[in-house]
Amino acid sequence: MASHGLAYDGCNFFRQRLVLSTLSGKRVKIKNIRSKDDNPGLRDFEASLIRLLDKVTNGSRIEINQTGTVLFYQPGLLFGGSVEHDCNLQRSVGYYLEALLMLAPFMKTSLKATLRGVTNDPTDPTVDMLKSTALPLMKKFGIDGEGFDLKVVKRGMAPGGGGEVVFTCPVRRTIRPVQLTDPAKIKRIRGVAYSVRVSPQMANRIVESARGVLNQFIPDIYIYTDHMKGANSGKSPGFGLTLVAETLNGSFLSAEMSSMPQGQGDPMLPEDLGRNCAKLLLEEVHRGGCVDSSNQSLALLLMTLGQQDVSKVLLGPLSPYTIEFLRHIRDFFQLMFKIEVQKPSEDERKGGDKVLMTCVGVGYSNINKTIK
């Protein structure tokens, strides 16, 4: 590698690269961003992410060429504080929030971010899912306290948006290593069925069909219905369901589905949505592990940044996104994980293959945090 940091090609995993660059302080150059496309260069939602990173950091240098196909990013110090950002409507708030979750504990002052836009859409993790799985996961790594919260003030469905969430996170000097090797059995299932700008009965129909599937396995199921009205309901109609299974050891596995945005694709009956979402949750439980597939990269990042001690986490099969994330961790932090595949025997009924990830943290310490 030359002294100009890391060089990448193409628009894939754009967010991972910027987040890891910001944390490691290594500059990054990405070229050929959709250079062969009819509409070349950065998309609006990526530009919006860059603007958000610019807001939470101090002294970042960002250079983009005229066509938007080459990006040079030199990270500044993570500053934090109070930030407001209007997210691009092409992606949901979850896309931006996932990046913020990774950066928030390492700010100089504790972060209070108000993000506006689409809170629930079919492609990105919704705000409800991050609230019910990513936050408890971060608490295991010692990131908690009264200021650690994610509030959904207004819901906004795609394509119109109009939602608003407030994310607050305290700063930490160091991250504690974890040993999450035994997920244990599922003890209860919780969920939220939400509907905006449609009949409130929709949510009840979703709940009924989801329970129809899940009641065969476990009695302790409670799905809240959340029907926001008036100004809090955003600009577009829609409904959806987020389900979370909690294990005896306090791991959370989740699945979710949202209705298709108005005017796109075939409309879906709430009954089908509830049933399919319940099946997705069962699929996630089958994959198993202590962290569900959507939060694998967050867990691995926090393990990497832990103190110089061994962390172990048992995951289900690694998603392609996670595999690429591991490669990026190797690039930015020179850290390799030890990966052991565990095949549960047929009679154990423990679901799919598991992967035990072990690493020694790089001893990352928050240099931005002010010493009082």
Side-chain angles (χ1 to χ4, degrees):
M1 289 286 168
S3 60
H4 57 254
L6 294 146
Y8 287 108
D9 238 33
C11 63
N12 278 351
F13 311 105
F14 178 76
R15 198 169 40 154
Q16 291 184 11
R17 288 165 185 167
L18 290 189
V19 166
L20 289 171
S21 156
T22 311
L23 285 170
S24 64
K26 292 190 174 159
R27 32 199 173 160
V28 63
K29 185 175 185 180
I30 305 176
K31 55 182 199 294
N32 294 337
I33 302 175
R34 302 192 179 88
S35 49
K36 303 241 186 318
D37 204 83
D38 294 345
N39 177 13
L42 290 169
R43 294 276 174 269
D44 292 346
F45 66 87
E46 292 165 331
S48 179
L49 177 70
I50 297 174
R51 277 197 286 278
L52 177 61
L53 285 178
D54 194 36
K55 281 178 191 172
V56 295
T57 57
N58 195 349
S60 293
R61 239 179 77 216
I62 301 153
E63 293 168 19
I64 301 171
N65 72 347
Q66 298 245 270
T67 50
T69 52
V70 179
L71 167 89
F72 173 75
Y73 176 70
Q74 181 164 5
L77 292 172
L78 282 163
F79 189 74
S82 205
V83 178
E84 290 197 9
H85 187 65
D86 291 322
C87 302
N88 191 279
L89 299 179
Q90 294 169 342
R91 298 297 289 261
S92 89
V93 168
Y95 174 83
Y96 301 92
L97 207 54
E98 276 191 309
L100 275 186
L101 284 169
M102 291 176 170
L103 298 171
F106 309 105
M107 303 277 179
K108 184 182 174 89
T109 53
S110 49
L111 179 73
K112 176 179 187 242
T114 309
L115 303 176
R116 298 190 188 85
V118 176
T119 55
N120 303 79
D121 79 347
T123 48
D124 292 303
T126 62
V127 178
D128 308 271
M129 178 144 156
L130 291 172
K131 181 178 174 133
S132 54
T133 58
L135 268 61
L137 173 66
M138 290 170 76
K139 284 181 178 156
K140 293 217 166 87
F141 286 89
I143 305 164
D144 56 358
E146 55 246 41
F148 189 44
D149 193 25
L150 177 56
K151 277 197 205 68
V152 185
V153 186
K154 300 175 183 168
R155 266 187 203 289
M157 303 293 287
E164 182 178 319
V165 297
V166 179
F167 171 55
T168 51
C169 180
V171 288
R172 283 287 166 266
R173 244 202 113 69
T174 51
I175 298 289
R176 69 162 177 245
V178 295
Q179 306 277 330
L180 303 173
T181 50
D182 178 26
K185 295 227 181 319
I186 304 287
K187 67 173 174 184
R188 58 172 172 220
I189 294 176
R190 293 285 176 267
V192 179
Y194 52 86
S195 55
V196 290
R197 299 196 173 273
V198 292
S199 149
Q201 204 49 45
M202 291 287 196
N204 301 350
R205 285 163 63 185
I206 294 174
V207 171
E208 215 149 290
S209 59
R211 290 194 66 122
V213 175
L214 297 171
N215 265 339
Q216 303 166 28
F217 304 100
I218 188 171
D220 185 358
I221 303 174
Y222 196 90
I223 303 175
Y224 300 88
T225 53
D226 174 11
H227 180 74
M228 286 201 168
K229 295 187 182 65
N232 292 350
S233 65
K235 297 185 177 139
S236 299
F239 50 86
L241 171 64
T242 303
L243 289 172
V244 184
E246 186 182 346
T247 69
L248 291 163
N249 291 356
S251 305
F252 295 87
L253 305 170
S254 69
E256 60 175 1
M257 277 192 92
S258 305
S259 58
M260 288 305 278
Q262 184 183 17
Q264 296 172 23
D266 296 332
M268 192 175 206
L269 282 173
E271 283 80 4
D272 296 346
L273 184 130
R275 212 169 302 121
N276 293 349
C277 188
K279 285 176 185 163
L280 280 178
L281 182 71
L282 297 177
E283 168 75 25
E284 198 59 66
V285 170
H286 173 79
R287 294 175 65 124
C290 296
V291 181
D292 63 355
S293 48
S294 63
N295 291 309
Q296 283 174 349
S297 46
L298 177 62
L300 294 172
L301 177 71
L302 291 172
M303 285 165 72
T304 306
L305 299 175
Q307 289 159 25
Q308 291 181 329
D309 200 352
V310 178
S311 283
K312 287 186 181 186
V313 172
L314 186 71
L315 300 176
L318 299 179
S319 68
Y321 187 81
T322 310
I323 292 167
E324 201 57 47
F325 191 73
L326 287 167
R327 290 180 185 141
H328 281 121
I329 284 181
R330 184 190 60 197
D331 290 352
F332 283 97
F333 289 103
Q334 286 77 51
L335 183 98
M336 307 274 272
F337 281 77
K338 180 178 171 202
I339 303 176
E340 299 166 66
V341 179
Q342 301 182 348
K343 289 197 189 310
S345 58
E346 283 298 311
D347 49 341
E348 272 186 298
R349 297 174 59 187
K350 285 268 180 75
D353 296 353
K354 305 286 183 283
V355 186
L356 183 64
M357 307 291 288
T358 314
C359 82
V360 176
V362 293
Y364 188 84
S365 142
N366 183 353
I367 46 171
N368 308 318
K369 185 177 177 205
T370 40
I371 300 169
K372 296 239 172 8

